[in-house]
Amino acid sequence: MENKIKQTGTAQITIEGKSYDLPIMKGSMGAPGIDVRALYKQSGHFTFDPGFTSTCSTESQITFIDGGEGQLLYRGYDVEKLAEESTSLEVAYLLIHGELPNAKEYETFESTITNHTMLHDQIESFFQGYRRDSHPMSMLCGTVGALSGFYHDDQHTTEDEARDLAIHRIIAKIPTLAARCYKYRVGQPSVYPQNNLSYAGNFLRMCFAVPAEPYEVNPVIERAMDKIFILHMDHEQNASTSTVRLAGSSGANPYACIAAGTACLWGPSHGGANEAALNMLKEIGTVDRIPEYIARAKDKTDPFRLMGFGHRVYKATDPRARVMRRTTHEVLGELGISNPVLEVAMELEKIATNEDYFVKRGLYPNVDFYSGIVLSALGFPTDMFTVLFALARTTGWISQWNEMLEDPSQRIGRPRQLYSGAELRDFVPMDKR
Ligand code: CMC
C-alpha cells in the first residue's frame, strides 16, 4: 500500500509553557487527524484516549464510514448498492485488491477460493475434543487458530505468494469451519463442501443438508445469506479488526490473528449483539410492553440497554440496518412466516427513533437489530449468529491484515498507559506480612 495521507496544516500544543508543532494529516475523505507520533519524544507527554474515541490507529484505504450521514463505503462503493447488486466473492475481491474484478478476474478468484474449501481431515480431531454443547464461537476460535498448525508456512508474510495463499485459504475454509461448528453442536454428521455452489449456497448446504435427505438451495435464502455476508464484511478499525491488526503487527501467523479477531468479536458489545437483540425482542414479546423497556433503557440506575441500538461511529441509522430490514421482509415473505418479533422490532424502532433520549444521543438501529430475526428465520440457532458474523468479517480482517503488512509505515502496535498503581516499595518476606 502506498501511503497517501498528506499534511494539510499544523496544530500547536502548549505543554507547561512550551509549544510543539504537530502536523495535521488528511486522507481523501473524513475528519483530519493530528499526528502525535513525535509528541512523546519531543515533550515527554503521552496522549490519553482509553476506548480510542479520538485516535486513528492507522491509515487505511479499504472502508470509509460517515457516522453522521449513515454512510458506509467499501473501496469507495456504497455498501447498500454492493449488497443489492454484487456477490460476496466479488466484494471479497474488491476488499483485497481495491477494484471490482472483471469477468476473467472473477472467474479465477472464484475458482481459487473453491479449490481451498476443504479442511485438512485432522481438523476433525479438534472438534472431537470439544464438549458437544460447547458454544460454537468457542469451537470457531479454537479451530480457526488450529489452522496455523496446518499452514505454518503462511506466516512467511513478507512473500506475496504466501500471503495470497493465506488470504485465499482463510476465505475458503471459514464457511466450512463455521458449518462444522453448527453440525457438531446439533450432533449431525459433517457435510463436505460442494464446489459447484456459490459461496453462500455452499455454506447453507453444509449447514442444513443431511445425508438422509436431498437438499436444494433456495435462491431467495441464498441471496439473503450472501447479502448478510456482504453487509458484515468490513467496518474499518472496529474492536475485532484492530485486534487482528495488533496481533498481526508482531508478525504472528495469519490464522492465529483471525482467531484473535474472532475472540474479540464474541462479546455482546460487538458481534454478540445480534444474539442479545433477538433475546431482548423475544423478552419484550408484545408491542404493549415496549414503553416499559424504553423506560428501562433511559433509566441510568438500570444497566439495561436497547440491544441493536446505538453505535460508536454511526449517529444516524446504520445503512446496514436498512438493507437488513428489507432482507428480513424478503426472507419472512419467502418462507411464509409471520413473526410477532418482527412486529415488536418495527414498533420499537418507530417509538425509539422519535424519543428525545435516543435522538439526542444519536442512538438508532444498528446492523444487529434486524439480523437476529432474519438469521433465526433462516434456521440458525441464536448461538450461531456471532459465528456467521465472524465468517463474513474474516474477509475484512484478512484484507486489513494484508494492507497492514503492505504499509511501509507499519510498526508493531504498542500503546502506552498512565500508571496509577503503587510506587516503588520494598519487598516484604511472607513471614513479615
Ligand atoms: N440503549 C440505551 N442507551 C444507550 C445505548 C443503548 N443501546 N447505547 C448508548 N446509550 C447511551 C449511554 O447510556 C450514554 O448515555 P449518557 O451520555 O447519558 O451517559 C450514551 O448513549 C453514549 O453511550 P456510550 O456507551 O458512551 O457509547 P459507546 O460509543 O461507547 O457505545 C455501543 C456504543 C454500541 C457499545 C452502545 O451503543 C451499546 O451498548 N449498544 C447496544 C449493543 C449493540 O447493539 N452493539 C452492536 C454494535 S453494532 C455491531 C458492530 O459493529 O460490532
PDB file of all heavy atoms in Angstrom, residues 235 268-271 273 297 300 305-312 315 320 357-358 361 363 366-368 389, ligand 1:
ATOM      1  N   HIS A 235     -15.658  -3.138   8.480  1.00  0.00           N
ATOM      2  CA  HIS A 235     -16.224  -1.966   9.158  1.00  0.00           C
ATOM      3  C   HIS A 235     -15.119  -1.125   9.767  1.00  0.00           C
ATOM      4  O   HIS A 235     -15.158  -0.777  10.935  1.00  0.00           O
ATOM      5  CB  HIS A 235     -17.245  -2.420  10.219  1.00  0.00           C
ATOM      6  CG  HIS A 235     -18.355  -1.463  10.367  1.00  0.00           C
ATOM      7  ND1 HIS A 235     -18.799  -1.007  11.564  1.00  0.00           N
ATOM      8  CD2 HIS A 235     -19.112  -0.834   9.437  1.00  0.00           C
ATOM      9  CE1 HIS A 235     -19.780  -0.150  11.383  1.00  0.00           C
ATOM     10  NE2 HIS A 235     -19.988  -0.028  10.096  1.00  0.00           N
ATOM     11  N   PRO A 268     -20.826  -9.233  23.724  1.00  0.00           N
ATOM     12  CA  PRO A 268     -22.132  -8.650  23.409  1.00  0.00           C
ATOM     13  C   PRO A 268     -22.094  -7.180  22.993  1.00  0.00           C
ATOM     14  O   PRO A 268     -23.055  -6.687  22.410  1.00  0.00           O
ATOM     15  CB  PRO A 268     -22.929  -8.828  24.704  1.00  0.00           C
ATOM     16  CG  PRO A 268     -21.916  -9.038  25.770  1.00  0.00           C
ATOM     17  CD  PRO A 268     -20.714  -9.657  25.122  1.00  0.00           C
ATOM     18  N   SER A 269     -20.983  -6.473  23.255  1.00  0.00           N
ATOM     19  CA  SER A 269     -20.918  -5.081  22.789  1.00  0.00           C
ATOM     20  C   SER A 269     -20.497  -5.027  21.326  1.00  0.00           C
ATOM     21  O   SER A 269     -20.466  -3.963  20.723  1.00  0.00           O
ATOM     22  CB  SER A 269     -19.899  -4.284  23.608  1.00  0.00           C
ATOM     23  OG  SER A 269     -20.323  -4.217  24.928  1.00  0.00           O
ATOM     24  N   HIS A 270     -20.105  -6.162  20.770  1.00  0.00           N
ATOM     25  CA  HIS A 270     -19.611  -6.177  19.384  1.00  0.00           C
ATOM     26  C   HIS A 270     -20.446  -7.208  18.615  1.00  0.00           C
ATOM     27  O   HIS A 270     -21.646  -7.020  18.440  1.00  0.00           O
ATOM     28  CB  HIS A 270     -18.107  -6.508  19.439  1.00  0.00           C
ATOM     29  CG  HIS A 270     -17.342  -6.272  18.180  1.00  0.00           C
ATOM     30  ND1 HIS A 270     -17.872  -5.722  17.056  1.00  0.00           N
ATOM     31  CD2 HIS A 270     -16.035  -6.535  17.866  1.00  0.00           C
ATOM     32  CE1 HIS A 270     -16.934  -5.642  16.107  1.00  0.00           C
ATOM     33  NE2 HIS A 270     -15.806  -6.141  16.578  1.00  0.00           N
ATOM     34  N   GLY A 271     -19.854  -8.317  18.199  1.00  0.00           N
ATOM     35  CA  GLY A 271     -20.590  -9.267  17.360  1.00  0.00           C
ATOM     36  C   GLY A 271     -21.696 -10.012  18.079  1.00  0.00           C
ATOM     37  O   GLY A 271     -22.612 -10.550  17.446  1.00  0.00           O
ATOM     38  N   ALA A 273     -23.988  -8.830  19.764  1.00  0.00           N
ATOM     39  CA  ALA A 273     -25.190  -8.012  19.992  1.00  0.00           C
ATOM     40  C   ALA A 273     -26.418  -8.539  19.260  1.00  0.00           C
ATOM     41  O   ALA A 273     -27.540  -8.328  19.706  1.00  0.00           O
ATOM     42  CB  ALA A 273     -24.921  -6.565  19.586  1.00  0.00           C
ATOM     43  N   ALA A 297     -34.376   1.516  29.409  1.00  0.00           N
ATOM     44  CA  ALA A 297     -33.176   1.928  28.661  1.00  0.00           C
ATOM     45  C   ALA A 297     -32.758   3.354  29.039  1.00  0.00           C
ATOM     46  O   ALA A 297     -31.568   3.688  29.039  1.00  0.00           O
ATOM     47  CB  ALA A 297     -33.436   1.830  27.160  1.00  0.00           C
ATOM     48  N   LYS A 300     -30.913   5.612  34.194  1.00  0.00           N
ATOM     49  CA  LYS A 300     -29.462   5.488  34.410  1.00  0.00           C
ATOM     50  C   LYS A 300     -29.104   4.564  35.580  1.00  0.00           C
ATOM     51  O   LYS A 300     -27.941   4.183  35.746  1.00  0.00           O
ATOM     52  CB  LYS A 300     -28.829   6.870  34.627  1.00  0.00           C
ATOM     53  CG  LYS A 300     -28.864   7.740  33.389  1.00  0.00           C
ATOM     54  CD  LYS A 300     -27.912   7.203  32.319  1.00  0.00           C
ATOM     55  CE  LYS A 300     -28.214   7.777  30.966  1.00  0.00           C
ATOM     56  NZ  LYS A 300     -27.708   6.989  29.855  1.00  0.00           N
ATOM     57  N   ARG A 305     -29.733  -1.906  28.322  1.00  0.00           N
ATOM     58  CA  ARG A 305     -29.630  -1.084  27.114  1.00  0.00           C
ATOM     59  C   ARG A 305     -30.471  -1.703  26.027  1.00  0.00           C
ATOM     60  O   ARG A 305     -30.636  -2.936  25.995  1.00  0.00           O
ATOM     61  CB  ARG A 305     -28.181  -1.034  26.619  1.00  0.00           C
ATOM     62  CG  ARG A 305     -27.342  -0.106  27.438  1.00  0.00           C
ATOM     63  CD  ARG A 305     -25.958   0.041  26.876  1.00  0.00           C
ATOM     64  NE  ARG A 305     -25.313   1.182  27.513  1.00  0.00           N
ATOM     65  CZ  ARG A 305     -24.266   1.815  27.046  1.00  0.00           C
ATOM     66  NH1 ARG A 305     -23.707   1.426  25.938  1.00  0.00           N
ATOM     67  NH2 ARG A 305     -23.757   2.840  27.687  1.00  0.00           N
ATOM     68  N   LEU A 306     -30.978  -0.898  25.115  1.00  0.00           N
ATOM     69  CA  LEU A 306     -31.695  -1.460  23.967  1.00  0.00           C
ATOM     70  C   LEU A 306     -30.665  -2.099  23.058  1.00  0.00           C
ATOM     71  O   LEU A 306     -29.876  -1.399  22.432  1.00  0.00           O
ATOM     72  CB  LEU A 306     -32.415  -0.363  23.192  1.00  0.00           C
ATOM     73  CG  LEU A 306     -33.747   0.139  23.688  1.00  0.00           C
ATOM     74  CD1 LEU A 306     -34.376   1.023  22.623  1.00  0.00           C
ATOM     75  CD2 LEU A 306     -34.691  -1.002  24.055  1.00  0.00           C
ATOM     76  N   MET A 307     -30.640  -3.403  23.008  1.00  0.00           N
ATOM     77  CA  MET A 307     -29.644  -4.087  22.190  1.00  0.00           C
ATOM     78  C   MET A 307     -29.997  -3.895  20.717  1.00  0.00           C
ATOM     79  O   MET A 307     -31.170  -3.902  20.344  1.00  0.00           O
ATOM     80  CB  MET A 307     -29.571  -5.580  22.544  1.00  0.00           C
ATOM     81  CG  MET A 307     -29.140  -5.836  23.973  1.00  0.00           C
ATOM     82  SD  MET A 307     -27.705  -4.867  24.497  1.00  0.00           S
ATOM     83  CE  MET A 307     -26.380  -5.730  23.688  1.00  0.00           C
ATOM     84  N   GLY A 308     -28.938  -3.708  19.897  1.00  0.00           N
ATOM     85  CA  GLY A 308     -29.187  -3.427  18.482  1.00  0.00           C
ATOM     86  C   GLY A 308     -29.419  -1.945  18.224  1.00  0.00           C
ATOM     87  O   GLY A 308     -29.756  -1.545  17.122  1.00  0.00           O
ATOM     88  N   PHE A 309     -29.236  -1.145  19.295  1.00  0.00           N
ATOM     89  CA  PHE A 309     -29.364   0.312  19.161  1.00  0.00           C
ATOM     90  C   PHE A 309     -28.054   0.978  19.547  1.00  0.00           C
ATOM     91  O   PHE A 309     -27.401   0.572  20.501  1.00  0.00           O
ATOM     92  CB  PHE A 309     -30.459   0.837  20.111  1.00  0.00           C
ATOM     93  CG  PHE A 309     -31.730   1.165  19.391  1.00  0.00           C
ATOM     94  CD1 PHE A 309     -32.563   0.143  18.964  1.00  0.00           C
ATOM     95  CD2 PHE A 309     -32.077   2.475  19.117  1.00  0.00           C
ATOM     96  CE1 PHE A 309     -33.739   0.425  18.295  1.00  0.00           C
ATOM     97  CE2 PHE A 309     -33.254   2.766  18.443  1.00  0.00           C
ATOM     98  CZ  PHE A 309     -34.089   1.742  18.022  1.00  0.00           C
ATOM     99  N   GLY A 310     -27.697   2.011  18.816  1.00  0.00           N
ATOM    100  CA  GLY A 310     -26.511   2.792  19.156  1.00  0.00           C
ATOM    101  C   GLY A 310     -25.273   2.229  18.493  1.00  0.00           C
ATOM    102  O   GLY A 310     -25.201   1.038  18.151  1.00  0.00           O
ATOM    103  N   HIS A 311     -24.325   3.095  18.273  1.00  0.00           N
ATOM    104  CA  HIS A 311     -23.069   2.688  17.647  1.00  0.00           C
ATOM    105  C   HIS A 311     -22.017   3.732  17.957  1.00  0.00           C
ATOM    106  O   HIS A 311     -22.330   4.916  18.042  1.00  0.00           O
ATOM    107  CB  HIS A 311     -23.257   2.565  16.122  1.00  0.00           C
ATOM    108  CG  HIS A 311     -22.182   1.757  15.479  1.00  0.00           C
ATOM    109  ND1 HIS A 311     -20.987   2.303  15.111  1.00  0.00           N
ATOM    110  CD2 HIS A 311     -22.128   0.436  15.171  1.00  0.00           C
ATOM    111  CE1 HIS A 311     -20.237   1.341  14.587  1.00  0.00           C
ATOM    112  NE2 HIS A 311     -20.904   0.201  14.620  1.00  0.00           N
ATOM    113  N   ARG A 312     -20.785   3.266  18.142  1.00  0.00           N
ATOM    114  CA  ARG A 312     -19.703   4.205  18.432  1.00  0.00           C
ATOM    115  C   ARG A 312     -19.512   5.213  17.290  1.00  0.00           C
ATOM    116  O   ARG A 312     -19.235   6.387  17.522  1.00  0.00           O
ATOM    117  CB  ARG A 312     -18.403   3.416  18.669  1.00  0.00           C
ATOM    118  CG  ARG A 312     -17.143   4.242  18.786  1.00  0.00           C
ATOM    119  CD  ARG A 312     -17.146   5.210  19.954  1.00  0.00           C
ATOM    120  NE  ARG A 312     -17.238   4.594  21.237  1.00  0.00           N
ATOM    121  CZ  ARG A 312     -16.218   4.031  21.898  1.00  0.00           C
ATOM    122  NH1 ARG A 312     -15.014   4.030  21.381  1.00  0.00           N
ATOM    123  NH2 ARG A 312     -16.409   3.505  23.077  1.00  0.00           N
ATOM    124  N   LYS A 315     -24.127   7.965  14.102  1.00  0.00           N
ATOM    125  CA  LYS A 315     -25.049   8.747  14.915  1.00  0.00           C
ATOM    126  C   LYS A 315     -26.326   8.981  14.100  1.00  0.00           C
ATOM    127  O   LYS A 315     -27.097   9.907  14.330  1.00  0.00           O
ATOM    128  CB  LYS A 315     -24.393  10.067  15.367  1.00  0.00           C
ATOM    129  CG  LYS A 315     -23.130   9.834  16.219  1.00  0.00           C
ATOM    130  CD  LYS A 315     -23.373   8.969  17.478  1.00  0.00           C
ATOM    131  CE  LYS A 315     -22.088   8.464  18.112  1.00  0.00           C
ATOM    132  NZ  LYS A 315     -22.251   7.288  18.980  1.00  0.00           N
ATOM    133  N   ARG A 320     -26.456  -0.527   7.098  1.00  0.00           N
ATOM    134  CA  ARG A 320     -26.617  -1.980   7.040  1.00  0.00           C
ATOM    135  C   ARG A 320     -27.963  -2.398   7.626  1.00  0.00           C
ATOM    136  O   ARG A 320     -28.553  -3.388   7.238  1.00  0.00           O
ATOM    137  CB  ARG A 320     -25.464  -2.655   7.789  1.00  0.00           C
ATOM    138  CG  ARG A 320     -24.090  -2.263   7.255  1.00  0.00           C
ATOM    139  CD  ARG A 320     -22.983  -2.707   8.184  1.00  0.00           C
ATOM    140  NE  ARG A 320     -23.095  -2.119   9.516  1.00  0.00           N
ATOM    141  CZ  ARG A 320     -22.348  -2.438  10.562  1.00  0.00           C
ATOM    142  NH1 ARG A 320     -21.414  -3.354  10.423  1.00  0.00           N
ATOM    143  NH2 ARG A 320     -22.511  -1.858  11.725  1.00  0.00           N
ATOM    144  N   TYR A 357     -34.599  11.040  24.193  1.00  0.00           N
ATOM    145  CA  TYR A 357     -33.397  10.412  24.771  1.00  0.00           C
ATOM    146  C   TYR A 357     -32.516   9.825  23.670  1.00  0.00           C
ATOM    147  O   TYR A 357     -31.316  10.025  23.645  1.00  0.00           O
ATOM    148  CB  TYR A 357     -33.820   9.309  25.760  1.00  0.00           C
ATOM    149  CG  TYR A 357     -32.656   8.474  26.277  1.00  0.00           C
ATOM    150  CD1 TYR A 357     -32.007   8.815  27.471  1.00  0.00           C
ATOM    151  CD2 TYR A 357     -32.194   7.353  25.575  1.00  0.00           C
ATOM    152  CE1 TYR A 357     -30.943   8.062  27.946  1.00  0.00           C
ATOM    153  CE2 TYR A 357     -31.125   6.600  26.046  1.00  0.00           C
ATOM    154  CZ  TYR A 357     -30.509   6.956  27.226  1.00  0.00           C
ATOM    155  OH  TYR A 357     -29.450   6.208  27.687  1.00  0.00           O
ATOM    156  N   PHE A 358     -33.124   9.098  22.738  1.00  0.00           N
ATOM    157  CA  PHE A 358     -32.365   8.394  21.703  1.00  0.00           C
ATOM    158  C   PHE A 358     -31.898   9.367  20.616  1.00  0.00           C
ATOM    159  O   PHE A 358     -30.766   9.274  20.144  1.00  0.00           O
ATOM    160  CB  PHE A 358     -33.215   7.260  21.108  1.00  0.00           C
ATOM    161  CG  PHE A 358     -33.527   6.188  22.111  1.00  0.00           C
ATOM    162  CD1 PHE A 358     -34.703   6.212  22.849  1.00  0.00           C
ATOM    163  CD2 PHE A 358     -32.620   5.175  22.365  1.00  0.00           C
ATOM    164  CE1 PHE A 358     -34.976   5.241  23.804  1.00  0.00           C
ATOM    165  CE2 PHE A 358     -32.880   4.195  23.317  1.00  0.00           C
ATOM    166  CZ  PHE A 358     -34.059   4.234  24.033  1.00  0.00           C
ATOM    167  N   ARG A 361     -28.894  11.508  21.683  1.00  0.00           N
ATOM    168  CA  ARG A 361     -27.631  10.769  21.755  1.00  0.00           C
ATOM    169  C   ARG A 361     -27.269  10.085  20.437  1.00  0.00           C
ATOM    170  O   ARG A 361     -26.273   9.364  20.357  1.00  0.00           O
ATOM    171  CB  ARG A 361     -27.714   9.702  22.857  1.00  0.00           C
ATOM    172  CG  ARG A 361     -27.751  10.296  24.240  1.00  0.00           C
ATOM    173  CD  ARG A 361     -28.072   9.256  25.292  1.00  0.00           C
ATOM    174  NE  ARG A 361     -28.043   9.837  26.628  1.00  0.00           N
ATOM    175  CZ  ARG A 361     -28.991  10.601  27.148  1.00  0.00           C
ATOM    176  NH1 ARG A 361     -30.069  10.913  26.436  1.00  0.00           N
ATOM    177  NH2 ARG A 361     -28.877  11.084  28.374  1.00  0.00           N
ATOM    178  N   LEU A 363     -28.859   7.647  18.903  1.00  0.00           N
ATOM    179  CA  LEU A 363     -28.985   6.189  19.042  1.00  0.00           C
ATOM    180  C   LEU A 363     -30.056   5.668  18.083  1.00  0.00           C
ATOM    181  O   LEU A 363     -31.248   5.920  18.269  1.00  0.00           O
ATOM    182  CB  LEU A 363     -29.361   5.822  20.483  1.00  0.00           C
ATOM    183  CG  LEU A 363     -28.386   6.265  21.575  1.00  0.00           C
ATOM    184  CD1 LEU A 363     -29.005   6.052  22.960  1.00  0.00           C
ATOM    185  CD2 LEU A 363     -27.089   5.496  21.451  1.00  0.00           C
ATOM    186  N   ASN A 366     -28.810  -0.433  14.736  1.00  0.00           N
ATOM    187  CA  ASN A 366     -27.585  -0.840  14.040  1.00  0.00           C
ATOM    188  C   ASN A 366     -27.841  -2.176  13.338  1.00  0.00           C
ATOM    189  O   ASN A 366     -28.938  -2.724  13.410  1.00  0.00           O
ATOM    190  CB  ASN A 366     -26.392  -0.883  15.023  1.00  0.00           C
ATOM    191  CG  ASN A 366     -26.609  -1.884  16.145  1.00  0.00           C
ATOM    192  OD1 ASN A 366     -26.974  -3.027  15.902  1.00  0.00           O
ATOM    193  ND2 ASN A 366     -26.391  -1.446  17.384  1.00  0.00           N
ATOM    194  N   VAL A 367     -26.809  -2.685  12.664  1.00  0.00           N
ATOM    195  CA  VAL A 367     -26.959  -3.879  11.829  1.00  0.00           C
ATOM    196  C   VAL A 367     -27.560  -5.065  12.588  1.00  0.00           C
ATOM    197  O   VAL A 367     -28.238  -5.909  12.022  1.00  0.00           O
ATOM    198  CB  VAL A 367     -25.587  -4.256  11.207  1.00  0.00           C
ATOM    199  CG1 VAL A 367     -24.590  -4.713  12.265  1.00  0.00           C
ATOM    200  CG2 VAL A 367     -25.706  -5.288  10.109  1.00  0.00           C
ATOM    201  N   ASP A 368     -27.317  -5.089  13.901  1.00  0.00           N
ATOM    202  CA  ASP A 368     -27.733  -6.250  14.681  1.00  0.00           C
ATOM    203  C   ASP A 368     -29.199  -6.244  15.060  1.00  0.00           C
ATOM    204  O   ASP A 368     -29.721  -7.241  15.550  1.00  0.00           O
ATOM    205  CB  ASP A 368     -26.898  -6.333  15.971  1.00  0.00           C
ATOM    206  CG  ASP A 368     -25.466  -6.657  15.641  1.00  0.00           C
ATOM    207  OD1 ASP A 368     -25.258  -7.490  14.756  1.00  0.00           O
ATOM    208  OD2 ASP A 368     -24.566  -6.061  16.249  1.00  0.00           O
ATOM    209  N   PHE A 389     -21.372 -13.826  11.755  1.00  0.00           N
ATOM    210  CA  PHE A 389     -20.727 -12.510  11.700  1.00  0.00           C
ATOM    211  C   PHE A 389     -19.215 -12.714  11.492  1.00  0.00           C
ATOM    212  O   PHE A 389     -18.592 -12.093  10.623  1.00  0.00           O
ATOM    213  CB  PHE A 389     -21.031 -11.778  13.018  1.00  0.00           C
ATOM    214  CG  PHE A 389     -20.731 -10.301  13.060  1.00  0.00           C
ATOM    215  CD1 PHE A 389     -21.367  -9.494  13.994  1.00  0.00           C
ATOM    216  CD2 PHE A 389     -19.825  -9.704  12.194  1.00  0.00           C
ATOM    217  CE1 PHE A 389     -21.111  -8.127  14.066  1.00  0.00           C
ATOM    218  CE2 PHE A 389     -19.556  -8.334  12.256  1.00  0.00           C
ATOM    219  CZ  PHE A 389     -20.198  -7.553  13.200  1.00  0.00           C
TER     220      PHE A 389
HETATM  221  N1  CMC B   1     -29.601   1.874  24.973  1.00  0.00           N
HETATM  222  C1  CMC B   1     -29.721   2.910  25.828  1.00  0.00           C
HETATM  223  N2  CMC B   1     -28.799   3.860  25.994  1.00  0.00           N
HETATM  224  C2  CMC B   1     -27.684   3.772  25.257  1.00  0.00           C
HETATM  225  C3  CMC B   1     -27.477   2.736  24.332  1.00  0.00           C
HETATM  226  C4  CMC B   1     -28.499   1.764  24.200  1.00  0.00           C
HETATM  227  N3  CMC B   1     -28.361   0.751  23.347  1.00  0.00           N
HETATM  228  N4  CMC B   1     -26.281   2.892  23.735  1.00  0.00           N
HETATM  229  C5  CMC B   1     -25.747   4.002  24.246  1.00  0.00           C
HETATM  230  N5  CMC B   1     -26.593   4.538  25.172  1.00  0.00           N
HETATM  231  C6  CMC B   1     -26.400   5.798  25.909  1.00  0.00           C
HETATM  232  C7  CMC B   1     -25.391   5.652  27.031  1.00  0.00           C
HETATM  233  O1  CMC B   1     -26.005   5.281  28.239  1.00  0.00           O
HETATM  234  C8  CMC B   1     -24.790   7.017  27.053  1.00  0.00           C
HETATM  235  O2  CMC B   1     -25.704   7.877  27.697  1.00  0.00           O
HETATM  236  P1  CMC B   1     -25.164   9.126  28.590  1.00  0.00           P
HETATM  237  O3  CMC B   1     -24.432  10.018  27.641  1.00  0.00           O
HETATM  238  O4  CMC B   1     -26.396   9.727  29.167  1.00  0.00           O
HETATM  239  O5  CMC B   1     -24.262   8.515  29.648  1.00  0.00           O
HETATM  240  C9  CMC B   1     -24.758   7.448  25.578  1.00  0.00           C
HETATM  241  O6  CMC B   1     -25.836   6.725  24.973  1.00  0.00           O
HETATM  242  C10 CMC B   1     -23.449   7.137  24.869  1.00  0.00           C
HETATM  243  O7  CMC B   1     -23.158   5.753  25.089  1.00  0.00           O
HETATM  244  P2  CMC B   1     -21.696   5.121  25.147  1.00  0.00           P
HETATM  245  O8  CMC B   1     -21.745   3.846  25.905  1.00  0.00           O
HETATM  246  O9  CMC B   1     -20.725   6.169  25.594  1.00  0.00           O
HETATM  247  O10 CMC B   1     -21.437   4.842  23.596  1.00  0.00           O
HETATM  248  P3  CMC B   1     -20.305   3.926  23.007  1.00  0.00           P
HETATM  249  O11 CMC B   1     -19.933   4.546  21.716  1.00  0.00           O
HETATM  250  O12 CMC B   1     -19.220   3.692  23.997  1.00  0.00           O
HETATM  251  O13 CMC B   1     -21.062   2.540  22.806  1.00  0.00           O
HETATM  252  C11 CMC B   1     -22.267   0.745  21.865  1.00  0.00           C
HETATM  253  C12 CMC B   1     -21.504   2.051  21.598  1.00  0.00           C
HETATM  254  C13 CMC B   1     -22.586   0.071  20.517  1.00  0.00           C
HETATM  255  C14 CMC B   1     -21.363  -0.225  22.674  1.00  0.00           C
HETATM  256  C15 CMC B   1     -23.552   1.069  22.657  1.00  0.00           C
HETATM  257  O14 CMC B   1     -24.381   1.942  21.900  1.00  0.00           O
HETATM  258  C16 CMC B   1     -24.314  -0.193  23.064  1.00  0.00           C
HETATM  259  O15 CMC B   1     -24.020  -0.773  24.103  1.00  0.00           O
HETATM  260  N6  CMC B   1     -25.323  -0.608  22.226  1.00  0.00           N
HETATM  261  C17 CMC B   1     -26.018  -1.842  22.464  1.00  0.00           C
HETATM  262  C18 CMC B   1     -25.155  -3.011  21.988  1.00  0.00           C
HETATM  263  C19 CMC B   1     -25.126  -3.127  20.485  1.00  0.00           C
HETATM  264  O16 CMC B   1     -26.166  -3.060  19.813  1.00  0.00           O
HETATM  265  N7  CMC B   1     -23.914  -3.343  19.940  1.00  0.00           N
HETATM  266  C20 CMC B   1     -23.734  -3.572  18.498  1.00  0.00           C
HETATM  267  C21 CMC B   1     -22.889  -2.557  17.848  1.00  0.00           C
HETATM  268  S1  CMC B   1     -23.028  -2.641  16.060  1.00  0.00           S
HETATM  269  C22 CMC B   1     -22.189  -4.068  15.638  1.00  0.00           C
HETATM  270  C23 CMC B   1     -20.748  -3.828  15.455  1.00  0.00           C
HETATM  271  O17 CMC B   1     -20.363  -3.032  14.568  1.00  0.00           O
HETATM  272  O18 CMC B   1     -19.961  -4.504  16.179  1.00  0.00           O
END
